[in-house]
Amino acid sequence: MRVTVKLFATFRKGRFDMEVRIVPPGSTVSRIVEDARVPESEIGILLVNGRHSNRMRELADGDTVAIFPLVGGG
Amino acid sequence: MEDLRVNLLTHAQGDLLPWAAQVAAAKRFQLRLGQVEEAALELGLMPSRYQRNRQTLSVSEQLKLFRSRVVILGVGGLGGYLVEELARLGTGTLVVVDPDTFEEHNLNRQILASPANLGVPKVDAAVERVGIVNPAVRVIPVRATFSRENGGDLFSGADAVVDALDTVTARMELAHACRDMGIPMVHGAIAGWYGQMATQMPGEDISRHIYPSGKEQRGVETRLGNPAFTPAVVASLQVAEVCKILLGQGRCLNGRMLFLNLLDMEFLDMEFDEAPIASGAAPGDPG
């Protein structure tokens, strides 16, 4: 199935802004995160189709996953 | 007090009360500038310093702001601008909480930091600044680190709490404390060109939405630092939220969050997957 992956902020550097990935049916958000090779400790928010999601969520064909870095400074 | 009212009405210019008249009245009746301000607003007089707040704010709304108490947690990059803007807005009481003193690496972005006050407690600089900018505003400095233990005392009587902290753990504890006390809280965080903000209303808990993992203490700001403009942008958005909360106006950023990317000028408004409900409470459960 096809899943669109969007990276934000720092994650774009040396990677991509947006790409379409072909992944096996039943793949979870975790699989997409691993594929994108963003540092685990830097991951903040994850969105599926524009809404907050968790890593265990199973994706469907045509879904869009967005990955944001953790922002905590004051 | 009747004499004070007569005095203020006598010295008003139209429905505006000039600053000099406010200061003279405080001196004559041996009152704090804030007490004179409240009396003027009760009479329907707008202190002249707020005249450009109109038509955005009416006299009665200005009075509402004057009677409000806002707690600012952290007086660093975000916190300095929060103090400046909330004081200029005319928020009557500001409780400022921070354990730190100014250091040289604060100078690039923290509006209250200057070479002259390196080593000075940040909360003391906040008191001094507000004394210069808007002395009618009362500032209560608390040189301490926020924790679940002192949250109850710090937030007592607060109408809103603003998150300008710098660790994920403290921010999540703050969200929990505000949820437990039923106080609106405005979250803001920055890293380099990027920032995020969200508002938590009573009955909500946004902690797992803003920091889903909750495992890391700090974010990418440890690598990126923070330039001069990012705290100013995010703090200003937080003040707009606080203003709306205090006045009960507009549409606040709850049930969703904003992610700012100033490098590409993208502002993303993201809805939470479900309404942020306090743990233990069922949706629709009153209280």
Side-chain angles (χ1 to χ4, degrees):
Chain A
M1 62 182 186
R2 293 158 67 88
V3 173
T4 302
V5 183
K6 289 183 176 178
L7 298 183
F8 286 88
T10 45
F11 293 156
R12 289 177 176 173
K13 205 167 183 179
R15 294 186 189 85
F16 55 89
D17 288 13
M18 188 174 85
E19 266 186 19
V20 175
R21 298 283 172 106
I22 309 295
V23 293
S27 291
T28 60
V29 173
S30 270
R31 161 77 188 251
I32 300 296
V33 169
E34 284 158 23
D35 279 0
R37 295 170 191 268
V38 291
E40 183 70 27
S41 65
E42 292 190 359
I43 297 172
I45 297 148
L46 297 166
L47 303 183
V48 175
N49 302 330
R51 298 179 79 90
H52 280 236
S53 185
N54 64 57
R55 291 179 195 217
M56 270 69 82
R57 174 165 168 165
E58 269 192 31
L59 297 165
D61 185 44
D63 277 352
T64 297
V65 175
I67 310 173
F68 292 78
L70 184 66
V71 170
Chain B
M1 284 298 273
E2 200 53 52
D3 283 348
L4 171 64
R5 290 191 192 118
V6 171
N7 177 287
L8 295 177
L9 289 167
T10 306
H11 292 94
Q13 294 174 359
D15 62 352
L16 293 177
L17 182 70
W19 177 246
Q22 188 173 341
V23 173
K27 199 171 173 185
R28 175 163 173 196
F29 297 97
Q30 296 190 316
L31 296 169
R32 285 184 287 107
L33 286 161
Q35 291 173 295
V36 177
E37 184 153 316
E38 188 170 14
L41 290 165
E42 284 171 351
L43 285 168
L45 298 175
M46 183 74 103
S48 296
R49 62 167 299 129
Y50 301 124
Q51 59 189 295
R52 290 292 189 274
N53 279 355
R54 301 156 122 183
Q55 300 287 320
T56 304
L57 299 175
S58 67
V59 174
S60 63
E61 287 165 345
Q62 197 70 56
L63 178 61
K64 209 167 183 181
L65 292 179
F66 183 81
R67 287 178 174 160
S68 297
R69 183 185 181 101
V70 174
V71 182
I72 299 169
L73 291 164
V75 187
L78 293 170
Y81 285 101
L82 294 171
V83 169
E84 179 82 15
E85 293 182 21
L86 286 167
R88 285 187 190 271
L89 186 64
T91 315
T93 304
L94 301 176
V95 181
V96 294
V97 185
D98 198 306
D100 294 334
T101 58
F102 283 114
E103 297 179 54
E104 199 164 343
H105 59 81
N106 300 148
L107 290 170
N108 79 321
R109 69 193 184 286
Q110 299 192 12
I111 194 171
L112 299 178
S114 67
N117 70 10
L118 297 179
V120 169
K122 294 182 176 183
V123 294
D124 291 352
V127 172
E128 188 186 350
R129 179 65 185 165
V130 174
I132 293 168
V133 169
N134 192 355
V137 171
R138 191 158 68 113
V139 183
I140 300 169
V142 182
R143 197 175 168 198
T145 304
F146 159 74
S147 66
R148 287 305 294 270
E149 287 68 41
N150 65 13
D153 289 339
L154 292 172
F155 305 158
S156 171
D159 298 293
V161 172
V162 199
D163 171 11
L165 294 163
D166 62 0
T167 68
V168 170
T169 314
R171 290 173 182 285
M172 293 183 77
E173 283 186 0
L174 173 60
H176 295 151
C178 290
R179 173 201 61 197
D180 294 346
M181 292 184 72
I183 301 172
M185 188 273 289
V186 181
H187 161 76
I190 52 174
W193 295 92
Y194 315 104
Q196 65 179 42
M197 63 165 303
T199 295
Q200 174 178 295
M201 289 301 196
E204 298 176 342
D205 181 355
I206 62 170
S207 57
R208 74 179 180 82
H209 293 283
I210 54 177
Y211 296 115
S213 124
K215 281 184 273 183
E216 306 298 330
Q217 266 286 19
R218 292 178 195 274
V220 290
E221 67 277 2
T222 52
R223 202 153 50 74
L224 305 176
N226 285 304
F229 45 82
T230 315
V233 172
V234 174
S236 296
L237 295 172
Q238 288 180 286
V239 172
E241 284 290 281
V242 171
C243 184
K244 291 186 294 180
I245 289 167
L246 299 180
L247 298 177
Q249 289 186 354
R251 182 183 170 218
C252 282
L253 194 70
N254 62 313
R256 59 205 172 110
M257 67 180 283
L258 194 64
F259 190 93
L260 299 90
N261 171 353
L262 301 178
L263 187 61
D264 302 313
M265 276 303 165
E266 293 174 340
F267 294 75
L268 289 131
D269 183 341
M270 310 178 289
E271 283 184 34
F272 296 147
D273 50 349
E274 61 194 61
I277 301 294
S279 55
D285 190 357

